[in-house]
Amino acid sequence: MMLNSETRKLILKYSPMWTNKQVWEYEQINENLRFDLAYVELNTVVESWTSKLGYPDSDVRDTSVRTFDHLLDGNEMWIANKDRGILEEKYVPYLMAVMTDIMIEEEVCLNFRIDHGCLVILIDNDADVIDCKEFFEEFYHLATGFNYTTDTGIPEDETEAEIYLTRLQEEFDDKMKSKLSDKYLPRNNDPDSLNSE
C-alpha cells in the first residue's frame, strides 16, 4: 500500500509542504481567513454549502476540530472560497498543511484531491503505519504513531527513552533545518507556541 495517487500528485505539486511557521506567518498576513465547508457522502458533489452538513463562512481549523466526527463517519470534506463555490489554488497548500496539523494528534492520514474546483479531504482508511509515516514525513512532521507489536528501538528505561527520543528529535530538526533553513522551527512549532514555552 502506498500514498493515494491523487494525494501524492498534490503533495508533489506543492512540495515542500508548508511548516507550522509558514502557516502561522500566512495567518498573520491574511487575518480572518474564512472558507465554506461542507461534508458529503463519498463520490457525491456538494449541492448546497448551507445544507445540514454545510458550514459556510468558517474558520477551517476550528470547524474541522468541532466536526471531526463527520470525517470519521466516512464523509468527505469539501472546501471552497467563501460564497464562491470553488477554491482559489493559492489556498491549497495552506489548507493541506492546516488539515494535516490537526490530524497529527489524531494520528490519521488524509487523502486530498481537487474536484469541481474544490479541495476535497477524506480519511485514508487503508493507510497502515508505514503509509502514515510517509504521509506525515511529506509535511516535515515526525509520524506520531508507533506500531507497538514491533520493536521500535526505544529503550525500556524512561530516562534512556527520553534521551533517545530527544536525540531523534534533534537529528530530525537538523535535517529539516538544512532542508528548509529559517522556514523550519525546532519541533516544527509556530512562533506563538515557542514564545509561550
Side-chain angles (χ1 to χ4, degrees), residues 14 16-18 23 88-98 119 139:
Y14 296 108
M17 301 313 295
W18 287 20
V23 168
E88 284 178 73
E89 189 181 341
K90 67 179 183 179
Y91 295 116
V92 173
Y94 163 74
L95 290 167
M96 287 172 70
V98 167
L119 179 63
F139 288 82

Tab-separated table of all heavy atoms in Angstrom, residues 14 16-18 23 88-98 119 139:
chain	number	residue	atom	x	y	z
A	14	TYR	N	2.884	20.755	-4.674
A	14	TYR	CA	3.086	21.858	-3.721
A	14	TYR	C	4.291	21.656	-2.800
A	14	TYR	O	4.450	22.374	-1.824
A	14	TYR	CB	1.818	22.083	-2.899
A	14	TYR	CG	0.664	22.524	-3.760
A	14	TYR	CD1	-0.395	21.669	-4.037
A	14	TYR	CD2	0.647	23.786	-4.334
A	14	TYR	CE1	-1.451	22.063	-4.841
A	14	TYR	CE2	-0.407	24.191	-5.142
A	14	TYR	CZ	-1.448	23.332	-5.391
A	14	TYR	OH	-2.487	23.724	-6.204
A	16	PRO	N	8.063	21.845	-1.254
A	16	PRO	CA	7.886	21.200	0.048
A	16	PRO	C	6.626	21.720	0.752
A	16	PRO	O	6.278	22.890	0.612
A	16	PRO	CB	9.151	21.626	0.817
A	16	PRO	CG	9.542	22.935	0.201
A	16	PRO	CD	9.109	22.862	-1.247
A	17	MET	N	5.947	20.825	1.470
A	17	MET	CA	4.712	21.215	2.152
A	17	MET	C	5.030	22.239	3.238
A	17	MET	O	6.124	22.280	3.770
A	17	MET	CB	4.030	19.983	2.765
A	17	MET	CG	3.670	18.903	1.742
A	17	MET	SD	2.845	19.502	0.232
A	17	MET	CE	1.314	20.124	0.879
A	18	TRP	N	4.044	23.048	3.525
A	18	TRP	CA	4.243	24.143	4.482
A	18	TRP	C	4.511	23.620	5.882
A	18	TRP	O	3.943	22.616	6.316
A	18	TRP	CB	3.013	25.029	4.534
A	18	TRP	CG	2.830	25.891	3.334
A	18	TRP	CD1	3.382	25.719	2.097
A	18	TRP	CD2	2.013	27.051	3.242
A	18	TRP	NE1	2.957	26.710	1.252
A	18	TRP	CE2	2.122	27.535	1.926
A	18	TRP	CE3	1.194	27.721	4.150
A	18	TRP	CZ2	1.436	28.675	1.494
A	18	TRP	CZ3	0.516	28.854	3.725
A	18	TRP	CH2	0.643	29.319	2.413
A	23	VAL	N	2.540	28.452	8.041
A	23	VAL	CA	1.089	28.593	8.262
A	23	VAL	C	0.829	29.773	9.179
A	23	VAL	O	-0.027	30.621	8.910
A	23	VAL	CB	0.490	27.292	8.854
A	23	VAL	CG1	-0.923	27.526	9.366
A	23	VAL	CG2	0.524	26.175	7.821
A	88	GLU	N	-9.712	29.065	-4.700
A	88	GLU	CA	-8.543	29.591	-5.406
A	88	GLU	C	-7.349	28.697	-5.092
A	88	GLU	O	-7.127	28.320	-3.933
A	88	GLU	CB	-8.236	31.017	-4.934
A	88	GLU	CG	-9.170	32.075	-5.475
A	88	GLU	CD	-8.813	33.434	-4.914
A	88	GLU	OE1	-7.780	34.002	-5.318
A	88	GLU	OE2	-9.574	33.913	-4.041
A	89	GLU	N	-6.565	28.407	-6.110
A	89	GLU	CA	-5.461	27.456	-5.966
A	89	GLU	C	-4.454	27.887	-4.905
A	89	GLU	O	-3.870	27.054	-4.221
A	89	GLU	CB	-4.745	27.282	-7.311
A	89	GLU	CG	-3.737	26.162	-7.266
A	89	GLU	CD	-2.981	25.981	-8.571
A	89	GLU	OE1	-3.439	26.462	-9.616
A	89	GLU	OE2	-1.915	25.343	-8.510
A	90	LYS	N	-4.264	29.194	-4.727
A	90	LYS	CA	-3.248	29.670	-3.776
A	90	LYS	C	-3.507	29.198	-2.344
A	90	LYS	O	-2.599	29.186	-1.518
A	90	LYS	CB	-3.144	31.200	-3.815
A	90	LYS	CG	-4.385	31.923	-3.299
A	90	LYS	CD	-4.212	33.423	-3.340
A	90	LYS	CE	-5.416	34.138	-2.772
A	90	LYS	NZ	-5.251	35.596	-2.781
A	91	TYR	N	-4.752	28.807	-2.034
A	91	TYR	CA	-5.073	28.358	-0.671
A	91	TYR	C	-4.825	26.871	-0.442
A	91	TYR	O	-4.850	26.400	0.689
A	91	TYR	CB	-6.531	28.681	-0.330
A	91	TYR	CG	-6.822	30.152	-0.263
A	91	TYR	CD1	-7.702	30.756	-1.159
A	91	TYR	CD2	-6.200	30.953	0.705
A	91	TYR	CE1	-7.967	32.116	-1.101
A	91	TYR	CE2	-6.458	32.321	0.763
A	91	TYR	CZ	-7.337	32.885	-0.146
A	91	TYR	OH	-7.575	34.235	-0.082
A	92	VAL	N	-4.597	26.113	-1.520
A	92	VAL	CA	-4.495	24.654	-1.394
A	92	VAL	C	-3.363	24.223	-0.455
A	92	VAL	O	-3.592	23.456	0.483
A	92	VAL	CB	-4.396	23.977	-2.780
A	92	VAL	CG1	-4.107	22.487	-2.639
A	92	VAL	CG2	-5.687	24.195	-3.569
A	93	PRO	N	-2.100	24.690	-0.652
A	93	PRO	CA	-1.041	24.223	0.260
A	93	PRO	C	-1.270	24.646	1.707
A	93	PRO	O	-0.961	23.885	2.636
A	93	PRO	CB	0.246	24.849	-0.304
A	93	PRO	CG	-0.187	25.885	-1.271
A	93	PRO	CD	-1.584	25.570	-1.706
A	94	TYR	N	-1.840	25.823	1.910
A	94	TYR	CA	-2.155	26.277	3.274
A	94	TYR	C	-3.156	25.320	3.925
A	94	TYR	O	-2.951	24.838	5.049
A	94	TYR	CB	-2.721	27.710	3.219
A	94	TYR	CG	-3.457	28.120	4.473
A	94	TYR	CD1	-2.767	28.430	5.646
A	94	TYR	CD2	-4.845	28.181	4.497
A	94	TYR	CE1	-3.450	28.789	6.805
A	94	TYR	CE2	-5.536	28.542	5.641
A	94	TYR	CZ	-4.825	28.841	6.795
A	94	TYR	OH	-5.511	29.192	7.941
A	95	LEU	N	-4.230	25.005	3.206
A	95	LEU	CA	-5.284	24.151	3.774
A	95	LEU	C	-4.796	22.721	3.995
A	95	LEU	O	-5.149	22.092	4.992
A	95	LEU	CB	-6.518	24.170	2.870
A	95	LEU	CG	-7.278	25.501	2.868
A	95	LEU	CD1	-8.283	25.551	1.721
A	95	LEU	CD2	-7.972	25.749	4.202
A	96	MET	N	-3.962	22.208	3.089
A	96	MET	CA	-3.415	20.861	3.280
A	96	MET	C	-2.569	20.812	4.551
A	96	MET	O	-2.661	19.863	5.328
A	96	MET	CB	-2.578	20.455	2.061
A	96	MET	CG	-3.420	20.137	0.830
A	96	MET	SD	-2.418	19.887	-0.669
A	96	MET	CE	-1.596	18.333	-0.312
A	97	ALA	N	-1.766	21.855	4.773
A	97	ALA	CA	-0.912	21.892	5.975
A	97	ALA	C	-1.747	22.013	7.243
A	97	ALA	O	-1.484	21.338	8.240
A	97	ALA	CB	0.079	23.041	5.868
A	98	VAL	N	-2.765	22.860	7.226
A	98	VAL	CA	-3.623	23.051	8.404
A	98	VAL	C	-4.334	21.748	8.753
A	98	VAL	O	-4.345	21.309	9.907
A	98	VAL	CB	-4.650	24.191	8.170
A	98	VAL	CG1	-5.730	24.180	9.249
A	98	VAL	CG2	-3.961	25.542	8.145
A	119	LEU	N	-11.141	21.811	-2.858
A	119	LEU	CA	-10.253	20.853	-2.199
A	119	LEU	C	-11.138	19.861	-1.448
A	119	LEU	O	-12.015	20.261	-0.675
A	119	LEU	CB	-9.304	21.566	-1.222
A	119	LEU	CG	-8.353	20.647	-0.453
A	119	LEU	CD1	-7.390	19.921	-1.390
A	119	LEU	CD2	-7.564	21.436	0.586
A	139	PHE	N	5.042	16.210	5.187
A	139	PHE	CA	4.712	17.513	5.772
A	139	PHE	C	5.777	17.953	6.780
A	139	PHE	O	5.549	18.821	7.603
A	139	PHE	CB	3.331	17.473	6.427
A	139	PHE	CG	2.231	17.423	5.406
A	139	PHE	CD1	1.865	16.231	4.824
A	139	PHE	CD2	1.595	18.580	4.994
A	139	PHE	CE1	0.884	16.184	3.843
A	139	PHE	CE2	0.613	18.543	4.028
A	139	PHE	CZ	0.255	17.343	3.457
